[in-house]
Amino acid sequence: MESIIRTHSSLTMASYYRRKKPDTVFLNAKPINSGNAQAYLHGVRKYSIGLAERLDSGYQAPGNGKRSSVSTVGSISNDFIPSVFYRNIAPVNWFLRIIGVLPIVRRGPARAKFALNSGAFLYSVVFFVLLSCYVGYVANNRIHIVRSLSGPFEEAVIAYLFLVNILPIIIIPILWWEAKKIARLFNDWDDFEVLYYQISGHSLPLNLRQKGVYIAIVLPILSVLSVVIIHITMSDLNLNQVVPYCILDNLTAMLGAWWFLICEGISTTAYLLAERFQKALKHIGPAAMVADYRVLWLRLSKLTRDTGNALCYTFVFMSLYLFFIITLSIYGLLSQLSEGFGIKDIGLTITALWNIGLLFYICDEAHYASVNVRTNFQKKLLMVELNWMNSDAQTEINMFLRATEMNPSNINCGGFFDVNRTLFKGLLTTMVTYLVVLLQFQISIPTDKGDGDATSNVTVVDMLMDSLSNDMTLLGATSTSTSVAPPTTTTVAAVTRSGRGRKG
């Protein structure tokens, strides 16, 4: 009787510690019917190749009753590689830290944080202040150029284009505001990798490091070359003013590359998880496996949503900036093509194509990640053969399928919009509308032809002044006789010449 009481008491205590286990990884989901009680209490699955076999062979797990952390798992098995996701995006992370964008301190796996008293943030503030002074000097010169313009409307658009290119400096304080959420996202990825290892028995094989190194080397070089070519073809090349444009253009390009690698990591993880889940269903004990892979999918789905929330304001501003810069560059290109393809059109074409490509990859990679996380898993679940499974396994499959329907896996920027191909299509549609309005406005401005002079566009002020002068001349002509008609014609010609002098 006493042995039965002791057994019941031990089971009760085991159940108590099982309920009180920290839920930062498992999201309150309980594994089902583990055959190894010790592995079950310490968050290790019976069919995990790496950890469970060592527990079965006599390894004594830590006695604190907590879940395995990154350091604990790393000490259990040499096969576990921590911080796989962070290692793969590290090259782009380091480049962004060099230009003072990401002041996040990371002292180990799951230990990333943002602190105002850290050296990284102090470096970021100093870099931002110096860059702001430099950009202010360049912007002041550009404003003087815009004020002195007296040519056609499309020339003013090209001048305003250089002012708009300075706007990405606002991204740096925005990223300071979102640095805590980004650090939390990195820590959540470390926890996800521990859970993935506990379930699958091996570390997460992303293999994006080499791609990240190539991007961190090639993309800045291409960005600097494009800025130099734009300044050579569209304005006088002044090296003192080209430097801040190179830094800001690299900022937008590397943020796009950073987003690309994060979404590529989510897509690759979702694909590997789906393939691993399909293979796991062929083994014995599918009910427990389905439950654990459902928990793993819920964590990946949460990481997908947190990606959009962590970079919410940054990519809202990026989308608006890219929309504005693409619209201005395409309008300047189309407005000058009527006179033939000139040297200025080379810079406008590079600006338009560069930013369209950046916007497309931002939207396309987010769309691809969302599809891989949700749609591909739903296909795997719908293709599962339920005839040979017991009722528990069928229930788990139905719960998994319902979880994919109820948990959104799209990348949403804080509720503003979903980042996908629909966003790219919507921005292009709105862009075409604005381009049509701007081109109609340009066509509605009349042209002024002189004796032997080439046709040239007049500004809106000249058009209004010439129209007023012609009206006053016609009113004076109606009050005289017909014999005074030739002097009236001379007066109109004189007024027209006066208008040209005002324009020039």
Side-chain angles (χ1 to χ4, degrees):
M1 186 65 180
E2 292 181 357
S3 61
I4 297 176
I5 294 175
R6 283 196 300 270
T7 303
H8 179 72
S9 177
S10 62
L11 292 175
T12 304
M13 292 300 295
S15 178
Y16 172 79
Y17 286 116
R18 195 158 55 236
R19 287 195 301 267
K20 293 297 182 180
K21 181 175 57 180
D23 55 1
T24 54
V25 169
F26 298 108
L27 292 178
N28 296 321
K30 298 178 181 179
I32 298 177
N33 297 330
S34 173
N36 188 325
Q38 188 180 16
Y40 178 57
L41 285 175
H42 294 281
V44 183
R45 306 299 182 264
K46 174 63 180 178
Y47 47 87
S48 293
I49 301 173
L51 300 182
E53 290 182 355
R54 298 201 62 175
L55 289 173
D56 291 337
S57 62
Y59 174 79
Q60 296 297 324
N64 53 10
K66 298 181 179 180
R67 70 172 176 88
S68 301
S69 62
V70 177
S71 58
T72 304
V73 174
S75 63
I76 293 175
S77 175
N78 295 326
D79 296 332
F80 178 74
I81 303 175
S83 305
V84 175
F85 175 79
Y86 187 83
R87 292 167 187 253
N88 280 269
I89 66 172
V92 179
N93 271 344
W94 278 107
F95 187 92
L96 291 175
R97 290 190 64 181
I98 290 174
I99 60 176
V101 176
L102 279 180
I104 296 176
V105 178
R106 188 174 182 275
R107 304 188 184 280
R111 294 177 61 190
K113 67 176 182 177
F114 169 74
L116 295 176
N117 57 353
S118 63
F121 182 70
L122 179 61
Y123 168 79
S124 183
V125 170
V126 172
F127 186 90
F128 175 71
V129 171
L130 296 177
L131 182 62
S132 299
C133 296
Y134 205 166
V135 169
Y137 165 74
V138 174
N140 186 43
N141 291 335
R142 288 295 172 183
I143 290 173
H144 284 300
I145 294 175
V146 170
R147 287 178 177 176
S148 62
L149 288 175
S150 60
F153 180 67
E154 57 270 17
E155 293 290 339
V157 171
I158 295 175
Y160 281 116
L161 195 61
F162 286 97
L163 281 176
V164 176
N165 282 330
I166 297 175
L167 292 179
I169 194 172
I170 304 175
I171 294 178
I172 298 179
I174 292 176
L175 279 170
W176 293 349
W177 178 264
E178 297 185 324
K180 287 185 178 180
K181 295 185 291 184
I182 297 172
R184 193 180 305 118
L185 179 66
F186 291 160
N187 295 335
D188 289 342
W189 265 103
D190 289 330
D191 284 341
F192 173 82
E193 292 171 17
V194 173
L195 180 60
Y196 182 89
Y197 179 74
Q198 291 174 346
I199 291 176
S200 64
H202 60 82
S203 297
L204 186 63
L206 281 182
N207 299 325
L208 298 175
R209 173 85 178 190
Q210 188 175 6
K211 186 181 294 185
V213 172
Y214 288 154
I215 289 175
I217 296 175
V218 176
L219 197 59
I221 297 175
L222 294 178
S223 178
V224 172
L225 286 177
S226 66
V227 171
V228 172
I229 293 174
I230 289 169
H231 278 259
I232 290 175
T233 57
M234 295 176 63
S235 65
D236 297 332
L237 180 62
N238 189 347
L239 293 178
N240 293 330
Q241 297 187 7
V242 169
V243 173
Y245 284 105
C246 291
I247 296 175
L248 295 177
D249 197 71
N250 269 301
L251 172 60
T252 56
M254 296 306 287
L255 278 177
W258 192 49
W259 179 271
F260 170 81
L261 288 176
I262 291 175
C263 294
E264 188 74 13
I266 294 173
S267 302
T268 305
T269 303
Y271 175 79
L272 293 172
L273 193 60
E275 294 297 321
R276 185 79 186 183
F277 171 69
Q278 192 173 19
K279 292 179 180 179
L281 289 176
K282 299 178 182 179
H283 298 165
I284 301 174
M289 292 181 181
V290 174
D292 290 336
Y293 275 94
R294 172 166 55 85
V295 173
L296 197 57
W297 181 89
L298 286 172
R299 287 306 303 268
L300 182 61
S301 177
K302 184 177 182 297
L303 286 173
T304 306
R305 296 191 303 271
D306 288 346
T307 300
N309 293 328
L311 300 168
C312 166
Y313 299 106
T314 300
F315 280 91
V316 167
F317 180 85
M318 278 277 292
S319 301
L320 295 176
Y321 164 75
L322 292 176
F323 169 78
F324 196 19
I325 202 76
I326 292 170
T327 304
L328 287 178
S329 58
I330 292 180
Y331 169 72
L333 181 63
L334 294 179
S335 62
Q336 290 194 343
L337 283 180
S338 59
E339 301 177 359
F341 192 84
I343 190 171
K344 290 185 177 180
D345 299 327
I346 298 176
L348 290 171
T349 303
I350 292 175
T351 303
L353 293 179
W354 179 270
N355 291 284
I356 288 175
L358 182 59
L359 181 62
F360 172 77
Y361 275 107
I362 289 174
C363 297
D364 185 68
E365 283 300 319
H367 176 86
Y368 187 60
S370 301
V371 169
N372 272 338
V373 171
R374 184 176 185 179
T375 307
N376 287 351
F377 255 97
Q378 288 179 336
K379 290 179 181 179
K380 299 289 184 183
L381 291 170
L382 292 173
M383 294 175 63
V384 170
E385 291 289 341
L386 299 177
N387 295 331
W388 62 276
M389 294 184 176
N390 54 26
S391 59
D392 291 339
Q394 294 180 13
T395 302
E396 290 296 337
I397 292 292
N398 292 329
M399 291 177 62
F400 200 163
L401 187 59
R402 186 177 299 176
T404 59
E405 294 175 355
M406 297 180 63
N407 289 272
S409 302
N410 52 335
I411 299 179
N412 185 282
C413 284
F416 290 103
F417 50 78
D418 291 339
V419 186
N420 50 27
R421 292 174 182 173
T422 305
L423 173 65
F424 182 74
K425 182 186 70 174
L427 290 177
L428 288 185
T429 304
T430 309
M431 194 181 304
V432 170
T433 304
Y434 280 102
L435 286 174
V436 170
V437 173
L438 289 172
L439 291 174
Q440 286 178 344
F441 176 72
Q442 181 195 1
I443 294 171
S444 65
I445 300 177
T447 57
D448 182 26
K449 294 183 179 180
D451 296 334
D453 294 336
T455 302
S456 60
N457 293 333
V458 297
T459 61
V460 179
V461 176
D462 292 332
M463 181 185 67
L464 295 176
M465 294 300 295
D466 290 341
S467 177
L468 180 61
S469 300
N470 291 334
D471 291 342
M472 296 299 293
T473 305
L474 290 176
L475 288 175
T478 56
S479 62
T480 59
S481 59
T482 309
S483 60
V484 195
T488 305
T489 306
T490 307
T491 305
V492 174
V495 172
T496 305
R497 284 195 296 271
S498 176
R500 279 202 303 274
R502 219 173 30 250
K503 178 181 172 184

